[in-house]
Amino acid sequence: MTNLPPPAEELRFLDAELRQLDVRRATLLRRRAWLVHTLQATAARQPALGPGTAPVGPPAGTGATARRPEATAPGVQNVLLVLGGVLLTIAAIAFTLVSWGHLGIAGRALVLGALTVGALGAPVALLRRGLRSTAEAVAALGTALTVLDAYALHEVAFPGTDGAGYTATASAVLAALWAVYGVRLRLRHPLPLAVATAHLPLLLGAIAVGAGPYTLTAVSLATAAGGTAVALRAALLPVRIVAVTGALGTGAAGVLSAGWLGWSASGPGPAARAAALLLVAAALALVAGRFVPRPEISVGAAFAAGLCVVAGAGGVLRVTVPGEWTVPGCLACAIALLAAERTRLHHPLRQGLVRASAAVQGFAVLWTLPLVAGCVLGPAVRGAGAWSGTPRDFRDAVFAGLPRPPYAGTAPLVLAVVAAVLVVAGHRTARRPAVTVAAPVLGWAAALVLPVVLQLPYAAGLVAHAVVVAAALFFAVRFGRADKRPSPPSLTALLLALVTSVGLALVSLASEPATIAVLGTLTVLFAAAGLRPGPAPFAAPAALCHATALACAIGASAGRPPHHTALLVLVVPAVAALIASRTGGSRTGGSRTGGSRATVPVEVAGAAAGLLALALAAPEPPMLALVLSLCGAVAAATALRPERRAAGWAAAALFLLATWVRLAAWDVAAPEAYTLPVTGPALIVGLLRRRRDAAVSSWTAYGSGLAVTLVPSLLAAWDDQHWLRPLALGVAALAVTLAGARHRLQAPLVLGPGVLALVALHELTPYLAQVVGALPRWAPPAVAGLVLLILGATYEQRLRDARRLREALGRLG
């Protein structure tokens, strides 16, 4: 057996051991520091070691590590060489620009010639010695001096020559000289510098001879072609980078210039020349994309080529055809690019041309967007002036108060063509779901704007849009999935039908017969579509909404006031409750079918129609009471369904509100007339609930019912000067108290005595006021002080009494 010491003794033992460990650790650390210092001092005094001997250093793990250099030797060398070359170049420039005039012609030639020849020739000897970095730095100085030589030559020998022409010649000579120099000596920087300089001669030469914009554009494209050729053939990465950068810059400038020339041309001739330049740029991009090893660059080049072709054709079409046919012409060119899919072009090139075609088609669709937006949003303006008169044509009805987009005559053709292309291409694309949604949307937009573009008569336009709604609903039903959620095409068609129906209903407001006919047609169409499970969650509520609008229109057409129209609107909630009762309980395999998915939307639409009926009947209280009663009847019928038992509360509230409104219409001011219809049913419900579940609290069962009548009556009795209400309220409170005592219920025993006491206090208030008036003024403070002394002296006893009262009340039901 192990004898364990007491906890206090063991704690003192552990503390002693820890103190000894701390002392030992401090001693070892001091010894370690002394050894490290000794080894470092010995290594510093040790002479140079011979080969094969190892230096004495601090042992591993001592923390003294060898210092690493922060810069490598080649890096230091490059910094020094570059700095030296830069300083020499600055000095040469300063000498040429400042001190040049102090020397004669021979001195100038001798100095610059000697410096240039020396700077260009020194790398030969340096390379033989293996000093390549130094040779690069000196060669860079030599190339800079050649530029100064060219400048000095112009100032001395050719002071009167044109600056642009001389610069073109000098840049060509320098580019050739640097290229030969870099190739012969195999230096790194002369070749990229030569390639960058080679982009200048043609452009500067064209400027020198006064070339026009077409020539300058052609020169830019030619320069880009040269840069592209160098980029494709060069082996050095810096040369390729410089060549690609220059080719992109000059090529982009040439393409932008050609595009501007084509779209600002005043005749077919200039537009054709600009188009030819764009075709050259497209050919150049295709050739470059064919030989570029990276596929993504090939795709980008082909994309740019396709846009160039379409832009050139668009510039020609702009000056040869009417303005509204320019966009369809460009669209035709874009569709022609799709033929590249059936050619033997490189796959990335075909992909880039197809993307260019898609981009142009997207721009064409965007061109039609103002017209489509006007057709969708324009009817909202017409809705402000209902039944203001039949418009001249359908375009006036849609664009009432809105500006009309120019060149919109071919918008339906553009939308239809793009939709057809998507339908054809949808079978061969990986994005088929997106295509099956986009194509119907574009087809719908074409059909929507066609009556506006053709300026059909007003009635014909309404019929055309109604046909669009019917076609969209048929498409949704035809391509919907039975007993499942709607497919993306079906859902798209439903949304398009809803949008079109709203616009059609608003446009029809211009004429009274048209409003009733259109709303009736829309109600029938959506009701027919709502019979199928797939579209039912959208079509059935839409049918109810259109039916509500139809009821309002019929009431207004008959000249009936709004509160009479409310009775006609109430037909819609009744029908909605009937539909929901037929579809609400269906289930299949634990998941709701299409009918049950439509239950909640139908009920929401019915509730919205009921609220509208209440709003219409609100100005007339008798009619409002009737409408509330009918709404309560609909809610009570809904509550008969097992899953909608909660609607019974709404029914009770509606019946109660109907009673109150009816009483208010009769000018009844007694609060008991409003509260007793609540208290009676509430107490009956509480009694039934207590019989079914004895654990229910009396506050839950009877508290709200009693308070609804007792509290308002108490407030009314407090200001009542007659004796009847206080007497009746006191008798009722006494009865509640006795009932609570008989059945040992907490809520009646709290509410009844409290009301009874307040009623008694109200009745005794005049006498108390007389007594207080007869007493001297010092009596009330004296009585209050005496009461406080008594309470303080028996404080603990009062606490015990209060605790016993609380426990007694807690034991009640």
Side-chain angles (χ1 to χ4, degrees), residues 91-467:
I93 293 173
F95 169 76
T96 304
L97 297 177
V98 179
S99 303
W100 183 260
H102 299 289
L103 300 175
I105 295 177
R108 300 169 188 173
L110 181 62
V111 171
L112 273 182
L115 290 175
T116 304
V117 171
L120 294 178
V124 177
L126 294 173
L127 290 174
R128 290 176 181 174
R129 295 177 175 270
L131 303 176
R132 174 165 293 275
S133 298
T134 307
E136 289 282 354
V138 177
L141 175 62
T143 54
L145 289 176
T146 55
V147 178
L148 296 178
D149 287 337
Y151 169 74
L153 186 62
H154 177 268
E155 293 295 324
V156 175
F158 308 101
T161 58
D162 180 60
Y166 180 81
T167 304
T169 304
S171 59
V173 172
L174 290 176
L177 176 62
W178 292 339
V180 173
Y181 184 70
V183 171
R184 293 296 299 272
L185 298 184
R186 297 182 181 180
L187 297 174
R188 287 193 298 268
H189 82 277
L191 284 179
L193 189 59
V195 172
T197 308
H199 288 81
L200 300 177
L202 286 179
L203 185 60
L204 293 176
I207 295 175
V209 299
Y214 290 93
T215 304
L216 291 176
T217 302
V219 167
S220 296
L221 295 177
T223 305
T228 303
V230 173
L232 293 175
R233 298 297 300 273
L236 297 177
L237 180 60
V239 175
R240 290 203 303 270
I241 293 176
V242 173
V244 168
T245 303
L248 289 177
T250 54
V255 168
L256 293 176
S257 176
W260 179 80
L261 291 173
W263 285 88
S264 61
S266 58
R273 290 197 297 270
L277 293 173
L278 287 173
L279 289 177
V280 170
L284 176 61
L286 289 176
V287 171
R290 175 62 183 84
F291 295 101
V292 170
R294 298 179 63 178
E296 59 272 16
I297 299 179
S298 299
V299 171
F303 179 80
L307 293 182
C308 288
V309 171
V310 176
V316 175
L317 291 172
R318 192 188 64 84
V319 295
T320 55
V321 298
E324 59 186 7
W325 287 97
T326 302
V327 174
C330 294
L331 180 61
C333 295
I335 295 174
L337 291 178
L338 295 176
E341 277 288 331
R342 299 185 179 274
T343 63
R344 295 184 178 181
L345 283 174
H346 196 43
H347 176 69
L349 296 182
R350 297 199 305 268
Q351 190 176 3
L353 291 176
V354 170
R355 291 185 181 182
S357 174
V360 175
Q361 294 179 54
F363 283 123
V365 172
L366 289 178
W367 173 74
T368 65
L369 191 58
L371 179 62
V372 177
C375 292
V376 173
L377 302 177
V381 179
R382 168 64 64 182
W387 297 353
S388 58
T390 304
R392 282 187 311 175
D393 52 43
F394 195 68
R395 186 179 69 174
D396 291 339
V398 172
F399 281 90
L402 292 178
R404 300 168 184 174
Y407 303 120
T410 56
L413 176 63
V414 170
L415 292 169
V417 169
V418 176
V421 170
L422 288 177
V423 171
V424 174
H427 300 285
R428 301 193 304 269
T429 180
R431 300 179 179 179
R432 188 173 181 179
V435 171
T436 56
V437 172
V441 171
L442 293 176
W444 163 81
L448 186 70
V449 302
L450 185 60
V452 176
V453 171
L454 296 180
Q455 298 184 21
L456 295 179
Y458 178 65
L462 293 178
V463 173
H465 275 200
V467 171

Side-chain angles (χ1 to χ4, degrees), residues 727-779:
L727 178 61
L729 181 59
V731 172
L734 180 61
V736 169
T737 303
L738 295 177
R742 171 70 179 79
H743 298 283
R744 301 185 65 185
L745 298 176
Q746 188 179 104
L749 282 177
V750 172
L751 293 176
V755 173
L756 184 60
L758 291 175
V759 170
L761 178 63
H762 173 266
E763 293 302 315
L764 294 177
T765 299
Y767 305 103
L768 293 177
Q770 293 178 4
V771 171
V772 171
L775 292 176
R777 294 188 176 182
W778 53 266

Side-chain angles (χ1 to χ4, degrees), residues 39-83:
L39 291 174
Q40 289 178 349
T42 305
R45 293 193 301 269
Q46 186 177 3
L49 299 175
T53 61
V56 178
T62 59
T65 58
R67 296 183 180 178
R68 296 181 179 180
E70 296 181 356
T72 61
V76 175
Q77 180 186 13
N78 291 333
V79 170
L80 295 177
L81 291 175
V82 170
L83 181 59

